[in-house]
Amino acid sequence: MGLFFREKFKNGAEIAVWEITEPEEQLKTLCVLPNDEQEELSYITNPQRRLERLAVRAILDTIFKEKVYLGYHENGRPFLQNSIVEISIAHTRRFATVLTHPENSVGIDIESLKRNFSAVEKKAVGEEEKEFLSDKPEVRELQLALIWSAKEALYKYMSQPDVDFIEQMKISRFSPKEKGELDAVFYHKDGIEETFTLEYLLLEDHVMVWLVG
């Protein structure tokens, strides 16, 4: 399928989403893997993970004019070894997505609405958030998906270890739409509070949430 969605924003950020429909061999013809990524791919035995890694490389080859080299910090946060552009990556079985900004920190997450989010309520939703969850099952599932995705994006953006998704992150009351904004608070362990506004978009049977500093 190739690029499914691509948008450049006024703040300099860009999002690109690749729909993973190609078999592995075809994906390999659509991108050029640097030697270190070829080596990393050889160690990945899960076929789906291999497809996701190749789709990310295909996105990078599409959106950057010059070849960029992908690396990962010890905490798993991705970075470009030969560029100051900030990057965040997310994927599901269907989509791989990359968010970039020329200089500001970024975080993105994408989730399939086919996933059962009942477990999310137990491990990531606080009491104040539970108060505004809808009684309608479909709306409630969408709210849970957006809360989880927003906290994942914020977690990637903050890049801190051992974050408690209930105690350290709170999403303000919202009614889900096709696209919109989510207000969030991050509670640092030293007592400092930071407020953020994340953006979200529904992509068919997926939700995508992102944050640009």
Side-chain angles (χ1 to χ4, degrees):
M1 173 65 185
L3 281 182
F4 181 86
F5 173 89
R6 185 179 183 182
E7 185 168 353
K8 296 182 179 180
F9 301 91
K10 293 180 179 179
N11 64 3
E14 179 175 2
I15 292 176
V17 180
W18 189 282
E19 185 175 18
I20 308 171
T21 58
E22 306 88 352
E24 182 175 322
E25 292 307 312
Q26 184 180 353
L27 260 181
K28 285 180 178 178
T29 67
L30 298 175
C31 60
V32 180
L33 282 175
N35 290 337
D36 58 341
E37 289 185 37
Q38 287 186 27
E39 184 177 356
E40 290 173 7
L41 190 68
S42 70
Y43 296 131
I44 301 174
T45 57
N46 184 305
Q48 181 61 31
R49 295 290 175 266
R50 293 172 63 88
L51 289 174
E52 291 164 0
R53 182 62 64 92
L54 288 167
V56 168
R57 170 45 64 183
I59 292 174
L60 296 178
D61 285 357
T62 301
I63 66 177
F64 286 96
K65 294 180 180 179
E66 304 293 333
K67 175 65 72 175
V68 292
Y69 297 91
L70 185 63
Y72 292 88
H73 294 291
E74 289 185 3
N75 64 0
R77 183 183 178 91
F79 70 96
L80 299 178
Q81 300 178 35
N82 61 326
S83 174
I84 62 171
V85 172
E86 294 287 341
I87 187 171
S88 184
I89 294 169
H91 34 64
T92 63
R93 293 189 65 84
R94 182 180 175 188
F95 292 124
T97 181
V98 172
L99 167 64
T100 62
H101 190 276
E103 55 188 21
N104 294 346
S105 294
V106 291
I108 193 167
D109 188 60
I110 189 167
E111 299 288 342
S112 170
L113 291 172
K114 294 179 181 179
R115 170 181 172 179
N116 185 346
F117 286 93
S118 58
V120 166
E121 188 170 349
K122 297 177 182 178
K123 65 180 181 181
V125 182
E127 292 303 318
E128 291 183 45
E129 294 160 338
K130 290 178 181 178
E131 290 178 0
F132 64 77
L133 292 177
S134 175
D135 293 329
K136 299 178 180 178
E138 288 188 5
V139 177
R140 186 186 188 90
E141 279 292 292
L142 181 53
Q143 285 177 312
L144 288 173
L146 286 168
I147 290 172
W148 173 254
S149 195
K151 291 189 176 185
E152 278 283 336
L154 182 54
Y155 171 72
K156 293 178 181 179
Y157 173 90
M158 298 305 297
S159 192
Q160 294 185 11
D162 303 319
V163 173
D164 188 313
F165 274 43
I166 292 179
E167 298 298 329
Q168 288 186 255
M169 291 186 276
K170 183 175 72 174
I171 308 300
S172 299
R173 179 184 295 270
F174 68 94
S175 297
K177 303 173 183 177
E178 289 293 319
K179 62 179 180 178
E181 295 181 343
L182 298 169
D183 293 323
V185 180
F186 187 89
Y187 300 91
H188 291 267
K189 293 178 181 178
D190 60 6
I192 294 176
E193 299 178 12
E194 278 192 84
T195 58
F196 298 93
T197 298
L198 299 93
E199 297 181 72
Y200 71 86
L201 175 68
L202 270 60
L203 285 176
E204 295 188 358
D205 58 351
H206 281 62
V207 296
M208 183 169 65
V209 185
W210 66 93
L211 172 61
V212 178

PDB file of all heavy atoms in Angstrom, residues 109-142:
ATOM      1  N   ASP A 109       1.731   7.695  19.327  1.00  0.00           N
ATOM      2  CA  ASP A 109       1.274   6.320  19.511  1.00  0.00           C
ATOM      3  C   ASP A 109       0.105   6.076  18.575  1.00  0.00           C
ATOM      4  O   ASP A 109      -0.651   6.999  18.234  1.00  0.00           O
ATOM      5  CB  ASP A 109       0.837   6.064  20.957  1.00  0.00           C
ATOM      6  CG  ASP A 109       0.540   4.590  21.195  1.00  0.00           C
ATOM      7  OD1 ASP A 109       1.454   3.763  21.007  1.00  0.00           O
ATOM      8  OD2 ASP A 109      -0.600   4.251  21.552  1.00  0.00           O
ATOM      9  N   ILE A 110      -0.047   4.828  18.157  1.00  0.00           N
ATOM     10  CA  ILE A 110      -1.175   4.426  17.328  1.00  0.00           C
ATOM     11  C   ILE A 110      -1.699   3.100  17.858  1.00  0.00           C
ATOM     12  O   ILE A 110      -0.910   2.238  18.261  1.00  0.00           O
ATOM     13  CB  ILE A 110      -0.769   4.338  15.836  1.00  0.00           C
ATOM     14  CG1 ILE A 110      -1.998   4.140  14.948  1.00  0.00           C
ATOM     15  CG2 ILE A 110       0.271   3.257  15.610  1.00  0.00           C
ATOM     16  CD1 ILE A 110      -1.715   4.355  13.469  1.00  0.00           C
ATOM     17  N   GLU A 111      -3.012   2.962  17.915  1.00  0.00           N
ATOM     18  CA  GLU A 111      -3.630   1.758  18.482  1.00  0.00           C
ATOM     19  C   GLU A 111      -4.786   1.305  17.608  1.00  0.00           C
ATOM     20  O   GLU A 111      -5.538   2.120  17.070  1.00  0.00           O
ATOM     21  CB  GLU A 111      -4.163   2.032  19.891  1.00  0.00           C
ATOM     22  CG  GLU A 111      -3.115   2.464  20.903  1.00  0.00           C
ATOM     23  CD  GLU A 111      -2.179   1.347  21.323  1.00  0.00           C
ATOM     24  OE1 GLU A 111      -2.530   0.170  21.101  1.00  0.00           O
ATOM     25  OE2 GLU A 111      -1.103   1.661  21.857  1.00  0.00           O
ATOM     26  N   SER A 112      -4.932  -0.002  17.480  1.00  0.00           N
ATOM     27  CA  SER A 112      -6.064  -0.572  16.755  1.00  0.00           C
ATOM     28  C   SER A 112      -7.288  -0.624  17.661  1.00  0.00           C
ATOM     29  O   SER A 112      -7.202  -1.059  18.809  1.00  0.00           O
ATOM     30  CB  SER A 112      -5.727  -1.980  16.266  1.00  0.00           C
ATOM     31  OG  SER A 112      -6.889  -2.616  15.757  1.00  0.00           O
ATOM     32  N   LEU A 113      -8.420  -0.199  17.141  1.00  0.00           N
ATOM     33  CA  LEU A 113      -9.665  -0.248  17.911  1.00  0.00           C
ATOM     34  C   LEU A 113     -10.215  -1.665  18.001  1.00  0.00           C
ATOM     35  O   LEU A 113     -11.199  -1.905  18.701  1.00  0.00           O
ATOM     36  CB  LEU A 113     -10.704   0.693  17.283  1.00  0.00           C
ATOM     37  CG  LEU A 113     -10.386   2.188  17.428  1.00  0.00           C
ATOM     38  CD1 LEU A 113     -11.364   3.018  16.617  1.00  0.00           C
ATOM     39  CD2 LEU A 113     -10.421   2.603  18.896  1.00  0.00           C
ATOM     40  N   LYS A 114      -9.578  -2.603  17.310  1.00  0.00           N
ATOM     41  CA  LYS A 114      -9.987  -4.001  17.426  1.00  0.00           C
ATOM     42  C   LYS A 114      -9.438  -4.640  18.694  1.00  0.00           C
ATOM     43  O   LYS A 114      -9.836  -5.734  19.080  1.00  0.00           O
ATOM     44  CB  LYS A 114      -9.512  -4.786  16.196  1.00  0.00           C
ATOM     45  CG  LYS A 114     -10.185  -4.338  14.900  1.00  0.00           C
ATOM     46  CD  LYS A 114      -9.664  -5.118  13.713  1.00  0.00           C
ATOM     47  CE  LYS A 114     -10.328  -4.656  12.418  1.00  0.00           C
ATOM     48  NZ  LYS A 114      -9.804  -5.393  11.233  1.00  0.00           N
ATOM     49  N   ARG A 115      -8.507  -3.945  19.321  1.00  0.00           N
ATOM     50  CA  ARG A 115      -7.922  -4.431  20.572  1.00  0.00           C
ATOM     51  C   ARG A 115      -8.938  -4.309  21.708  1.00  0.00           C
ATOM     52  O   ARG A 115      -9.764  -3.395  21.727  1.00  0.00           O
ATOM     53  CB  ARG A 115      -6.676  -3.607  20.888  1.00  0.00           C
ATOM     54  CG  ARG A 115      -6.089  -3.834  22.260  1.00  0.00           C
ATOM     55  CD  ARG A 115      -4.871  -2.949  22.483  1.00  0.00           C
ATOM     56  NE  ARG A 115      -4.394  -3.016  23.855  1.00  0.00           N
ATOM     57  CZ  ARG A 115      -3.348  -2.359  24.314  1.00  0.00           C
ATOM     58  NH1 ARG A 115      -2.651  -1.575  23.511  1.00  0.00           N
ATOM     59  NH2 ARG A 115      -2.981  -2.471  25.576  1.00  0.00           N
ATOM     60  N   ASN A 116      -8.878  -5.221  22.659  1.00  0.00           N
ATOM     61  CA  ASN A 116      -9.721  -5.149  23.853  1.00  0.00           C
ATOM     62  C   ASN A 116      -9.025  -4.262  24.880  1.00  0.00           C
ATOM     63  O   ASN A 116      -7.951  -4.598  25.378  1.00  0.00           O
ATOM     64  CB  ASN A 116      -9.950  -6.551  24.421  1.00  0.00           C
ATOM     65  CG  ASN A 116     -10.905  -6.551  25.593  1.00  0.00           C
ATOM     66  OD1 ASN A 116     -11.214  -5.506  26.164  1.00  0.00           O
ATOM     67  ND2 ASN A 116     -11.379  -7.715  25.975  1.00  0.00           N
ATOM     68  N   PHE A 117      -9.648  -3.146  25.205  1.00  0.00           N
ATOM     69  CA  PHE A 117      -9.020  -2.179  26.103  1.00  0.00           C
ATOM     70  C   PHE A 117      -9.482  -2.308  27.553  1.00  0.00           C
ATOM     71  O   PHE A 117      -9.216  -1.431  28.366  1.00  0.00           O
ATOM     72  CB  PHE A 117      -9.281  -0.751  25.608  1.00  0.00           C
ATOM     73  CG  PHE A 117      -8.475  -0.381  24.397  1.00  0.00           C
ATOM     74  CD1 PHE A 117      -8.996  -0.559  23.127  1.00  0.00           C
ATOM     75  CD2 PHE A 117      -7.189   0.106  24.523  1.00  0.00           C
ATOM     76  CE1 PHE A 117      -8.259  -0.236  22.002  1.00  0.00           C
ATOM     77  CE2 PHE A 117      -6.438   0.431  23.408  1.00  0.00           C
ATOM     78  CZ  PHE A 117      -6.970   0.263  22.143  1.00  0.00           C
ATOM     79  N   SER A 118     -10.169  -3.397  27.872  1.00  0.00           N
ATOM     80  CA  SER A 118     -10.664  -3.553  29.244  1.00  0.00           C
ATOM     81  C   SER A 118      -9.511  -3.601  30.247  1.00  0.00           C
ATOM     82  O   SER A 118      -9.612  -3.068  31.357  1.00  0.00           O
ATOM     83  CB  SER A 118     -11.515  -4.818  29.350  1.00  0.00           C
ATOM     84  OG  SER A 118     -10.774  -5.965  28.962  1.00  0.00           O
ATOM     85  N   ALA A 119      -8.398  -4.228  29.858  1.00  0.00           N
ATOM     86  CA  ALA A 119      -7.243  -4.306  30.759  1.00  0.00           C
ATOM     87  C   ALA A 119      -6.608  -2.945  30.972  1.00  0.00           C
ATOM     88  O   ALA A 119      -6.011  -2.677  32.017  1.00  0.00           O
ATOM     89  CB  ALA A 119      -6.214  -5.283  30.206  1.00  0.00           C
ATOM     90  N   VAL A 120      -6.744  -2.070  29.983  1.00  0.00           N
ATOM     91  CA  VAL A 120      -6.173  -0.729  30.077  1.00  0.00           C
ATOM     92  C   VAL A 120      -6.790   0.039  31.233  1.00  0.00           C
ATOM     93  O   VAL A 120      -6.113   0.786  31.945  1.00  0.00           O
ATOM     94  CB  VAL A 120      -6.388   0.034  28.748  1.00  0.00           C
ATOM     95  CG1 VAL A 120      -6.122   1.517  28.926  1.00  0.00           C
ATOM     96  CG2 VAL A 120      -5.493  -0.542  27.669  1.00  0.00           C
ATOM     97  N   GLU A 121      -8.088  -0.147  31.424  1.00  0.00           N
ATOM     98  CA  GLU A 121      -8.782   0.576  32.487  1.00  0.00           C
ATOM     99  C   GLU A 121      -8.167   0.272  33.850  1.00  0.00           C
ATOM    100  O   GLU A 121      -8.094   1.128  34.725  1.00  0.00           O
ATOM    101  CB  GLU A 121     -10.268   0.213  32.475  1.00  0.00           C
ATOM    102  CG  GLU A 121     -11.108   1.056  33.423  1.00  0.00           C
ATOM    103  CD  GLU A 121     -12.594   0.849  33.225  1.00  0.00           C
ATOM    104  OE1 GLU A 121     -12.979   0.209  32.222  1.00  0.00           O
ATOM    105  OE2 GLU A 121     -13.364   1.320  34.075  1.00  0.00           O
ATOM    106  N   LYS A 122      -7.692  -0.958  34.034  1.00  0.00           N
ATOM    107  CA  LYS A 122      -7.146  -1.348  35.331  1.00  0.00           C
ATOM    108  C   LYS A 122      -5.737  -0.808  35.560  1.00  0.00           C
ATOM    109  O   LYS A 122      -5.375  -0.451  36.672  1.00  0.00           O
ATOM    110  CB  LYS A 122      -7.145  -2.869  35.459  1.00  0.00           C
ATOM    111  CG  LYS A 122      -8.529  -3.490  35.415  1.00  0.00           C
ATOM    112  CD  LYS A 122      -8.451  -5.006  35.474  1.00  0.00           C
ATOM    113  CE  LYS A 122      -9.837  -5.634  35.385  1.00  0.00           C
ATOM    114  NZ  LYS A 122      -9.771  -7.121  35.393  1.00  0.00           N
ATOM    115  N   LYS A 123      -4.930  -0.749  34.485  1.00  0.00           N
ATOM    116  CA  LYS A 123      -3.524  -0.408  34.673  1.00  0.00           C
ATOM    117  C   LYS A 123      -3.141   1.012  34.258  1.00  0.00           C
ATOM    118  O   LYS A 123      -2.013   1.429  34.496  1.00  0.00           O
ATOM    119  CB  LYS A 123      -2.631  -1.385  33.917  1.00  0.00           C
ATOM    120  CG  LYS A 123      -2.756  -1.343  32.412  1.00  0.00           C
ATOM    121  CD  LYS A 123      -1.816  -2.374  31.779  1.00  0.00           C
ATOM    122  CE  LYS A 123      -1.882  -2.360  30.261  1.00  0.00           C
ATOM    123  NZ  LYS A 123      -0.998  -3.362  29.640  1.00  0.00           N
ATOM    124  N   ALA A 124      -4.082   1.753  33.664  1.00  0.00           N
ATOM    125  CA  ALA A 124      -3.688   3.068  33.157  1.00  0.00           C
ATOM    126  C   ALA A 124      -4.705   4.179  33.360  1.00  0.00           C
ATOM    127  O   ALA A 124      -4.427   5.331  33.053  1.00  0.00           O
ATOM    128  CB  ALA A 124      -3.355   2.970  31.668  1.00  0.00           C
ATOM    129  N   VAL A 125      -5.888   3.860  33.883  1.00  0.00           N
ATOM    130  CA  VAL A 125      -6.944   4.868  34.012  1.00  0.00           C
ATOM    131  C   VAL A 125      -7.189   5.188  35.485  1.00  0.00           C
ATOM    132  O   VAL A 125      -7.493   4.293  36.275  1.00  0.00           O
ATOM    133  CB  VAL A 125      -8.251   4.391  33.339  1.00  0.00           C
ATOM    134  CG1 VAL A 125      -9.325   5.473  33.452  1.00  0.00           C
ATOM    135  CG2 VAL A 125      -7.997   4.033  31.880  1.00  0.00           C
ATOM    136  N   GLY A 126      -7.045   6.456  35.838  1.00  0.00           N
ATOM    137  CA  GLY A 126      -7.251   6.894  37.213  1.00  0.00           C
ATOM    138  C   GLY A 126      -8.718   7.113  37.534  1.00  0.00           C
ATOM    139  O   GLY A 126      -9.582   7.103  36.651  1.00  0.00           O
ATOM    140  N   GLU A 127      -9.004   7.350  38.808  1.00  0.00           N
ATOM    141  CA  GLU A 127     -10.393   7.508  39.250  1.00  0.00           C
ATOM    142  C   GLU A 127     -11.068   8.712  38.598  1.00  0.00           C
ATOM    143  O   GLU A 127     -12.239   8.646  38.213  1.00  0.00           O
ATOM    144  CB  GLU A 127     -10.437   7.649  40.774  1.00  0.00           C
ATOM    145  CG  GLU A 127     -10.049   6.386  41.524  1.00  0.00           C
ATOM    146  CD  GLU A 127     -10.908   5.192  41.140  1.00  0.00           C
ATOM    147  OE1 GLU A 127     -12.139   5.377  41.003  1.00  0.00           O
ATOM    148  OE2 GLU A 127     -10.364   4.096  40.954  1.00  0.00           O
ATOM    149  N   GLU A 128     -10.348   9.837  38.458  1.00  0.00           N
ATOM    150  CA  GLU A 128     -10.937  11.026  37.837  1.00  0.00           C
ATOM    151  C   GLU A 128     -11.258  10.760  36.369  1.00  0.00           C
ATOM    152  O   GLU A 128     -12.250  11.285  35.835  1.00  0.00           O
ATOM    153  CB  GLU A 128      -9.987  12.218  37.954  1.00  0.00           C
ATOM    154  CG  GLU A 128      -9.829  12.727  39.389  1.00  0.00           C
ATOM    155  CD  GLU A 128      -8.938  13.958  39.447  1.00  0.00           C
ATOM    156  OE1 GLU A 128      -9.117  14.860  38.604  1.00  0.00           O
ATOM    157  OE2 GLU A 128      -8.057  14.002  40.327  1.00  0.00           O
ATOM    158  N   GLU A 129     -10.457   9.961  35.718  1.00  0.00           N
ATOM    159  CA  GLU A 129     -10.714   9.633  34.318  1.00  0.00           C
ATOM    160  C   GLU A 129     -11.887   8.670  34.195  1.00  0.00           C
ATOM    161  O   GLU A 129     -12.694   8.777  33.260  1.00  0.00           O
ATOM    162  CB  GLU A 129      -9.451   9.033  33.690  1.00  0.00           C
ATOM    163  CG  GLU A 129      -8.302  10.029  33.597  1.00  0.00           C
ATOM    164  CD  GLU A 129      -6.939   9.381  33.455  1.00  0.00           C
ATOM    165  OE1 GLU A 129      -6.793   8.198  33.844  1.00  0.00           O
ATOM    166  OE2 GLU A 129      -6.028  10.053  32.972  1.00  0.00           O
ATOM    167  N   LYS A 130     -12.010   7.753  35.122  1.00  0.00           N
ATOM    168  CA  LYS A 130     -13.127   6.804  35.082  1.00  0.00           C
ATOM    169  C   LYS A 130     -14.472   7.512  35.206  1.00  0.00           C
ATOM    170  O   LYS A 130     -15.481   7.043  34.684  1.00  0.00           O
ATOM    171  CB  LYS A 130     -12.987   5.773  36.199  1.00  0.00           C
ATOM    172  CG  LYS A 130     -11.833   4.789  36.000  1.00  0.00           C
ATOM    173  CD  LYS A 130     -11.732   3.817  37.169  1.00  0.00           C
ATOM    174  CE  LYS A 130     -10.568   2.855  36.997  1.00  0.00           C
ATOM    175  NZ  LYS A 130     -10.430   1.927  38.134  1.00  0.00           N
ATOM    176  N   GLU A 131     -14.472   8.664  35.884  1.00  0.00           N
ATOM    177  CA  GLU A 131     -15.722   9.395  36.111  1.00  0.00           C
ATOM    178  C   GLU A 131     -16.366   9.891  34.828  1.00  0.00           C
ATOM    179  O   GLU A 131     -17.585  10.057  34.769  1.00  0.00           O
ATOM    180  CB  GLU A 131     -15.468  10.577  37.054  1.00  0.00           C
ATOM    181  CG  GLU A 131     -15.175  10.162  38.494  1.00  0.00           C
ATOM    182  CD  GLU A 131     -14.891  11.364  39.383  1.00  0.00           C
ATOM    183  OE1 GLU A 131     -14.934  12.504  38.858  1.00  0.00           O
ATOM    184  OE2 GLU A 131     -14.635  11.157  40.589  1.00  0.00           O
ATOM    185  N   PHE A 132     -15.555  10.154  33.780  1.00  0.00           N
ATOM    186  CA  PHE A 132     -16.166  10.681  32.558  1.00  0.00           C
ATOM    187  C   PHE A 132     -16.285   9.633  31.451  1.00  0.00           C
ATOM    188  O   PHE A 132     -16.677   9.945  30.337  1.00  0.00           O
ATOM    189  CB  PHE A 132     -15.420  11.930  32.045  1.00  0.00           C
ATOM    190  CG  PHE A 132     -14.001  11.708  31.608  1.00  0.00           C
ATOM    191  CD1 PHE A 132     -13.711  11.123  30.385  1.00  0.00           C
ATOM    192  CD2 PHE A 132     -12.944  12.125  32.405  1.00  0.00           C
ATOM    193  CE1 PHE A 132     -12.404  10.940  29.968  1.00  0.00           C
ATOM    194  CE2 PHE A 132     -11.629  11.960  31.994  1.00  0.00           C
ATOM    195  CZ  PHE A 132     -11.359  11.370  30.764  1.00  0.00           C
ATOM    196  N   LEU A 133     -15.975   8.382  31.752  1.00  0.00           N
ATOM    197  CA  LEU A 133     -16.141   7.334  30.743  1.00  0.00           C
ATOM    198  C   LEU A 133     -17.625   7.112  30.448  1.00  0.00           C
ATOM    199  O   LEU A 133     -18.459   7.073  31.351  1.00  0.00           O
ATOM    200  CB  LEU A 133     -15.500   6.030  31.222  1.00  0.00           C
ATOM    201  CG  LEU A 133     -13.978   6.013  31.334  1.00  0.00           C
ATOM    202  CD1 LEU A 133     -13.514   4.667  31.886  1.00  0.00           C
ATOM    203  CD2 LEU A 133     -13.322   6.282  29.984  1.00  0.00           C
ATOM    204  N   SER A 134     -17.957   6.948  29.192  1.00  0.00           N
ATOM    205  CA  SER A 134     -19.348   6.808  28.764  1.00  0.00           C
ATOM    206  C   SER A 134     -19.934   5.457  29.176  1.00  0.00           C
ATOM    207  O   SER A 134     -19.224   4.466  29.343  1.00  0.00           O
ATOM    208  CB  SER A 134     -19.434   6.961  27.245  1.00  0.00           C
ATOM    209  OG  SER A 134     -20.738   6.715  26.769  1.00  0.00           O
ATOM    210  N   ASP A 135     -21.251   5.432  29.320  1.00  0.00           N
ATOM    211  CA  ASP A 135     -21.962   4.181  29.577  1.00  0.00           C
ATOM    212  C   ASP A 135     -22.186   3.395  28.286  1.00  0.00           C
ATOM    213  O   ASP A 135     -22.524   2.212  28.330  1.00  0.00           O
ATOM    214  CB  ASP A 135     -23.321   4.463  30.228  1.00  0.00           C
ATOM    215  CG  ASP A 135     -23.176   5.036  31.636  1.00  0.00           C
ATOM    216  OD1 ASP A 135     -22.182   4.689  32.308  1.00  0.00           O
ATOM    217  OD2 ASP A 135     -24.041   5.831  32.040  1.00  0.00           O
ATOM    218  N   LYS A 136     -22.008   4.050  27.152  1.00  0.00           N
ATOM    219  CA  LYS A 136     -22.167   3.388  25.869  1.00  0.00           C
ATOM    220  C   LYS A 136     -20.886   2.623  25.538  1.00  0.00           C
ATOM    221  O   LYS A 136     -19.810   3.225  25.474  1.00  0.00           O
ATOM    222  CB  LYS A 136     -22.470   4.411  24.774  1.00  0.00           C
ATOM    223  CG  LYS A 136     -23.755   5.197  25.007  1.00  0.00           C
ATOM    224  CD  LYS A 136     -23.967   6.225  23.908  1.00  0.00           C
ATOM    225  CE  LYS A 136     -25.244   7.022  24.141  1.00  0.00           C
ATOM    226  NZ  LYS A 136     -25.443   8.063  23.091  1.00  0.00           N
ATOM    227  N   PRO A 137     -20.963   1.310  25.346  1.00  0.00           N
ATOM    228  CA  PRO A 137     -19.754   0.483  25.155  1.00  0.00           C
ATOM    229  C   PRO A 137     -18.822   0.975  24.054  1.00  0.00           C
ATOM    230  O   PRO A 137     -17.601   1.025  24.247  1.00  0.00           O
ATOM    231  CB  PRO A 137     -20.330  -0.900  24.819  1.00  0.00           C
ATOM    232  CG  PRO A 137     -21.674  -0.913  25.481  1.00  0.00           C
ATOM    233  CD  PRO A 137     -22.196   0.488  25.353  1.00  0.00           C
ATOM    234  N   GLU A 138     -19.369   1.348  22.895  1.00  0.00           N
ATOM    235  CA  GLU A 138     -18.501   1.762  21.786  1.00  0.00           C
ATOM    236  C   GLU A 138     -17.768   3.057  22.108  1.00  0.00           C
ATOM    237  O   GLU A 138     -16.582   3.210  21.805  1.00  0.00           O
ATOM    238  CB  GLU A 138     -19.325   1.919  20.503  1.00  0.00           C
ATOM    239  CG  GLU A 138     -19.782   0.600  19.902  1.00  0.00           C
ATOM    240  CD  GLU A 138     -20.425   0.780  18.543  1.00  0.00           C
ATOM    241  OE1 GLU A 138     -20.422   1.922  18.024  1.00  0.00           O
ATOM    242  OE2 GLU A 138     -20.925  -0.216  17.987  1.00  0.00           O
ATOM    243  N   VAL A 139     -18.480   3.997  22.708  1.00  0.00           N
ATOM    244  CA  VAL A 139     -17.861   5.285  23.066  1.00  0.00           C
ATOM    245  C   VAL A 139     -16.826   5.067  24.164  1.00  0.00           C
ATOM    246  O   VAL A 139     -15.734   5.637  24.136  1.00  0.00           O
ATOM    247  CB  VAL A 139     -18.931   6.302  23.533  1.00  0.00           C
ATOM    248  CG1 VAL A 139     -18.260   7.613  23.968  1.00  0.00           C
ATOM    249  CG2 VAL A 139     -19.938   6.557  22.429  1.00  0.00           C
ATOM    250  N   ARG A 140     -17.168   4.209  25.125  1.00  0.00           N
ATOM    251  CA  ARG A 140     -16.242   3.918  26.227  1.00  0.00           C
ATOM    252  C   ARG A 140     -14.938   3.305  25.708  1.00  0.00           C
ATOM    253  O   ARG A 140     -13.844   3.686  26.142  1.00  0.00           O
ATOM    254  CB  ARG A 140     -16.921   2.961  27.214  1.00  0.00           C
ATOM    255  CG  ARG A 140     -16.114   2.678  28.486  1.00  0.00           C
ATOM    256  CD  ARG A 140     -16.795   1.609  29.319  1.00  0.00           C
ATOM    257  NE  ARG A 140     -16.175   1.442  30.619  1.00  0.00           N
ATOM    258  CZ  ARG A 140     -16.499   2.096  31.716  1.00  0.00           C
ATOM    259  NH1 ARG A 140     -17.476   2.988  31.673  1.00  0.00           N
ATOM    260  NH2 ARG A 140     -15.875   1.875  32.851  1.00  0.00           N
ATOM    261  N   GLU A 141     -15.045   2.356  24.765  1.00  0.00           N
ATOM    262  CA  GLU A 141     -13.852   1.729  24.193  1.00  0.00           C
ATOM    263  C   GLU A 141     -12.990   2.759  23.465  1.00  0.00           C
ATOM    264  O   GLU A 141     -11.759   2.726  23.561  1.00  0.00           O
ATOM    265  CB  GLU A 141     -14.251   0.608  23.223  1.00  0.00           C
ATOM    266  CG  GLU A 141     -14.588  -0.699  23.892  1.00  0.00           C
ATOM    267  CD  GLU A 141     -13.370  -1.354  24.520  1.00  0.00           C
ATOM    268  OE1 GLU A 141     -12.475  -1.799  23.784  1.00  0.00           O
ATOM    269  OE2 GLU A 141     -13.307  -1.416  25.763  1.00  0.00           O
ATOM    270  N   LEU A 142     -13.632   3.679  22.760  1.00  0.00           N
ATOM    271  CA  LEU A 142     -12.890   4.718  22.063  1.00  0.00           C
ATOM    272  C   LEU A 142     -12.196   5.648  23.059  1.00  0.00           C
ATOM    273  O   LEU A 142     -11.039   6.031  22.855  1.00  0.00           O
ATOM    274  CB  LEU A 142     -13.831   5.513  21.152  1.00  0.00           C
ATOM    275  CG  LEU A 142     -13.208   6.638  20.331  1.00  0.00           C
ATOM    276  CD1 LEU A 142     -12.014   6.144  19.524  1.00  0.00           C
ATOM    277  CD2 LEU A 142     -14.254   7.268  19.422  1.00  0.00           C
TER     278      LEU A 142
END
